């Protein structure tokens, strides 16, 4: 069973009387611990595809399954826990501290504020953003925003992380370290589905696809998984201890 | 699919040797696609265009034409399809490409197009010669895009990207990597542009056909 599967998914967008097909009969399978990037120009359907994969939008035709279940039915149970969608920007009104933003996912799961904050600091350190913890979100630069956003999505120990253009707004010299971070997260067992607007973001991914006019091209089923996902250590739901790699 | 000329768009480079048996086969087929002609004219055009690059005798051109015809990649044109001058010439059969021949040639063009920019130019010539449809050109573009994406995927950043900032060697390696990435970005941008133009042309021609 694939971690994520899209089965003949079509999504239309409407503006007034005009209708456009944003995603056109797309089928795709994704395995655990896979790092998959979808390249496409603007208005190619790449962001819509990711929102469908994350359950933020429902397909007009076809079905999205996550861990074997229809995502349209299970989204409330899995989104923000087993399935993370990484928003790579903060609202301009976001005045809270980065550590509070990261902890929010656990607070929603009724984890105590003290424990949520402790784990937020832990996950911020994991993504190399420990120095950002006590800055307000609006004070962060592009790369810091990206790392804090990844931390916020990781804190609930998702099996799949969906990220729309992780390097968007990130200084060119900061992009490779950020992409190396994503690679390391996948190596620890978290599957990552991300969109890419440039060649740089495709470097070193397990699978690279392209999308244009809503049509997905490239290998749509996963090759043999390079890394076997590992279960979190018993009793620890932080998701930070994902064990060792297996060939 | 033709034995010996089968082209698989999704396979690797080892298929290329099976697509067309020699460079001469490819060039002769290309000349026939560019302009349906009889053997003598093809040999003249071959000599003018490619003679300094890859010399072959006229008899080999004729043998190549026979083989391409036997394999169904080209065919002798029926007499009624020929112009008066050509029909009267004593130069033997005039040949034109079959759909299988055009497909095999497109396949060869699409393979490794990134390593040979002249193939993109050949796409233009081929289309101008009226052999290909817009759909065929879009198919070629799709193959080109997949090659770009695969190459970008292979360009992984160095593992010590975070620590090598002070070392000149590491810096030069990163600059070279960036040069290749930006070249691919430019090719991908061209692909998006070309697709948009081709689709617009296709839509215009479809609208034109609908008009009484």
């Amino acid at each position: 069973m694939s971690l994520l599967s899209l089965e003949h998914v079509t999504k239309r967008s409407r503006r007034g009387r005009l209708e456009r097909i944003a995603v056109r009969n797309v089928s795709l399978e994704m395995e655990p611990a896979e790092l998959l990037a979808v390249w496409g120009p603007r208005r190619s359907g790449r962001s819509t595809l990711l929102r469908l994969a994350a359950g933020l939008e429902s397909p007009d035709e076809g079905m999205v399954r996550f861990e074997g279940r229809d995502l349209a039915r299970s989204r409330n149970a899995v989104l923000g826990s087993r399935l993370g969608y990484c928003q790579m920007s903060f609202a301009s009104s976001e005045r809270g501290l980065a550590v509070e933003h990261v902890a929010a996912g656990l607070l929603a799961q009724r984890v105590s504020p003290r424990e949520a904050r402790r784990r937020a600091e832990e996950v911020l350190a994991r993504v190399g953003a420990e120095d950002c913890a006590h800055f307000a979100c609006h004070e962060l630069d592009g790369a810091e925003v990206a790392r804090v956003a990844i931390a916020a999505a990781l804190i609930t120990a998702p099996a799949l992380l969906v990220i729309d253009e992780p390097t968007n707004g990130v200084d060119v010299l900061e992009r490779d370290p950020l992409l190396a971070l994503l690679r390391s997260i996948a190596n620890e067992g978290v599957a990552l589905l991300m969109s890419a607007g440039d060649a740089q973001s495709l470097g070193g991914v397990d699978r690279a696809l392209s999308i244009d006019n809503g049509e997905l091209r490239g290998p749509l089923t996963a090759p043999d998984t390079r890394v076997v996902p590992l279960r979190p250590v018993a009793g620890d739901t932080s998701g930070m201890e994902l064990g060792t790699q297996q060939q | 699919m033709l034995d010996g000329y089968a082209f698989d768009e999704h396979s690797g480079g080892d298929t290329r040797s099976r697509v067309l048996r020699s460079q001469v086969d490819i060039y002769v087929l290309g000349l026939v696609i560019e302009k349906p002609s009889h053997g003598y004219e093809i040999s003249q055009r071959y000599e003018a265009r490619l003679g300094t690059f890859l010399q072959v005798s006229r008899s080999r051109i004729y043998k190549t034409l026979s083989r391409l015809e036997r394999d169904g990649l080209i065919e002798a044109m029926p007499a009624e399809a020929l112009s008066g001058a050509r029909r009267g010439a004593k130069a033997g059969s005039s040949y034109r490409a079959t759909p299988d021949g055009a497909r095999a040639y497109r396949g060869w063009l699409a393979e490794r197009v990134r390593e040979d920019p002249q193939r993109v130019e050949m796409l233009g010539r081929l289309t101008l010669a009226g052999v290909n449809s817009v759909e065929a050109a879009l198919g070629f573009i799709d193959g080109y895009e997949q090659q770009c994406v695969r190459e970008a995927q292979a360009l992984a950043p160095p593992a010590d990207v975070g620590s090598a900032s002070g070392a000149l060697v590491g810096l030069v390696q990163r600059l070279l990597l960036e040069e290749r990435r930006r070249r691919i970005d430019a090719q991908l941008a061209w692909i998006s542009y070309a697709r948009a133009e081709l689709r617009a042309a296709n839509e215009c021609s479809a609208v034109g056909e609908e008009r009484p």
Side-chain angles (χ1 to χ4, degrees), chain A residues 1-3 30-34 159 189-191 225 227 229:
Chain A
M1 179 183 71
S2 297
L3 177 68
M30 223 185 136
E31 299 302 322
E34 190 181 8
V190 181
T225 309
V227 178

Side-chain angles (χ1 to χ4, degrees), chain A residues 18-171:
Chain A
L18 291 176
E19 183 180 275
R20 196 174 71 88
I21 297 181
V23 170
R24 198 180 294 262
N25 192 24
V26 162
S27 293
L28 172 68
E29 290 183 357
M30 223 185 136
E31 299 302 322
E34 190 181 8
L35 176 54
L36 192 158
V38 179
W39 177 86
R42 291 189 188 282
R43 294 178 62 81
S44 59
R46 64 185 185 198
S47 295
T48 305
L49 178 71
L50 264 61
R51 286 198 296 274
L52 288 163
L56 298 176
E57 291 188 33
S58 298
D60 292 319
E61 292 167 28
M63 184 182 285
V64 180
R65 290 182 193 274
F66 177 69
E67 296 182 323
R69 296 169 66 194
D70 179 0
L71 191 55
R73 293 170 184 272
S74 63
R75 124 181 71 205
N76 291 340
V78 298
L79 189 57
S81 54
R82 295 284 295 160
L83 202 170
Y85 181 79
C86 203
Q87 188 75 40
M88 300 304 286
S89 62
F90 299 122
S92 57
S93 58
E94 184 86 64
R95 304 306 253 188
L97 301 180
V99 68
E100 293 166 352
H101 177 78
V102 173
L106 289 182
L107 294 174
Q109 294 180 0
R110 302 190 179 190
V111 174
S112 73
R114 186 187 178 91
E115 173 64 7
R117 193 178 181 96
R118 183 189 70 75
R119 277 159 57 179
E121 286 174 348
E122 201 173 67
V123 73
L124 278 167
R126 165 65 188 88
V127 302
E130 60 269 41
D131 293 342
C132 303
H134 302 290
F135 282 93
C137 293
H138 70 273
E139 294 179 301
L140 305 177
D141 69 23
E144 290 168 339
V145 166
R147 286 173 188 269
V148 170
I150 291 166
L154 269 184
I155 198 164
T156 57
L160 170 65
L161 197 54
V162 178
I163 311 180
D164 197 4
E165 276 206 84
T167 59
N168 190 25
V170 176
D171 186 89

Side-chain angles (χ1 to χ4, degrees), chain B residues 5-202:
Chain B
Y5 292 97
F7 176 74
D8 179 356
E9 289 180 358
H10 303 294
S11 64
D14 59 344
T15 324
R16 189 168 49 162
S17 59
R18 292 189 287 111
V19 174
L20 291 162
R21 288 168 196 169
S22 72
Q23 291 292 96
V24 176
D25 286 15
I26 294 163
Y27 295 146
V28 169
L29 179 57
L31 290 169
V32 173
I33 288 171
E34 188 180 63
K35 182 183 171 193
S37 314
H38 53 71
Y40 179 73
E41 190 183 330
I42 288 168
S43 70
Q44 281 188 315
R45 282 199 287 133
Y46 184 98
E47 180 61 30
R49 299 263 288 276
L50 301 155
T52 55
F53 170 59
L54 184 61
Q55 269 196 329
V56 295
S57 64
R58 189 172 300 161
S59 64
R60 181 156 175 208
I61 298 285
Y62 283 109
K63 281 181 187 170
T64 301
L65 287 167
S66 299
R67 191 166 60 246
L68 293 173
E69 185 180 21
R70 187 194 65 213
D71 289 337
L73 300 187
I74 63 173
E75 63 187 2
M77 292 173 73
E80 59 271 23
L82 300 173
S83 66
R86 280 192 191 170
R87 197 164 43 222
K90 296 179 179 177
S93 301
S94 276
Y95 296 100
R96 66 184 176 192
T98 63
D100 281 337
R103 197 175 305 122
Y105 192 76
R106 279 203 303 271
W108 174 78
L109 272 179
E111 273 194 59
R112 309 209 176 181
V113 65
R114 297 199 65 258
E115 296 167 15
D116 183 0
Q118 285 189 335
R119 293 191 188 187
V120 180
E121 292 169 23
M122 276 306 297
L123 170 74
R125 280 197 233 161
L126 208 58
T127 307
L128 289 173
V131 173
N132 283 331
S133 62
V134 170
E135 283 79 10
L138 284 168
F140 174 88
I141 299 276
D142 290 349
Y144 190 9
E145 180 186 67
Q146 288 306 304
Q147 290 174 48
C148 290
V149 167
R150 278 199 296 270
E151 182 173 338
Q153 184 184 359
L155 294 179
D160 60 345
V161 64
S163 61
S165 57
L168 182 59
V169 173
L171 174 61
V172 171
Q173 281 179 342
R174 288 204 310 281
L175 290 175
L176 293 174
L177 177 68
E178 193 59 25
E179 188 272 340
R180 291 177 72 187
R181 286 166 165 171
R182 289 180 186 225
R183 194 153 35 89
I184 295 171
D185 279 334
Q187 287 164 333
L188 289 169
W190 178 84
I191 284 166
S192 297
Y193 170 77
R195 270 208 189 106
E197 287 273 22
L198 287 165
R199 284 197 184 116
N202 213 18

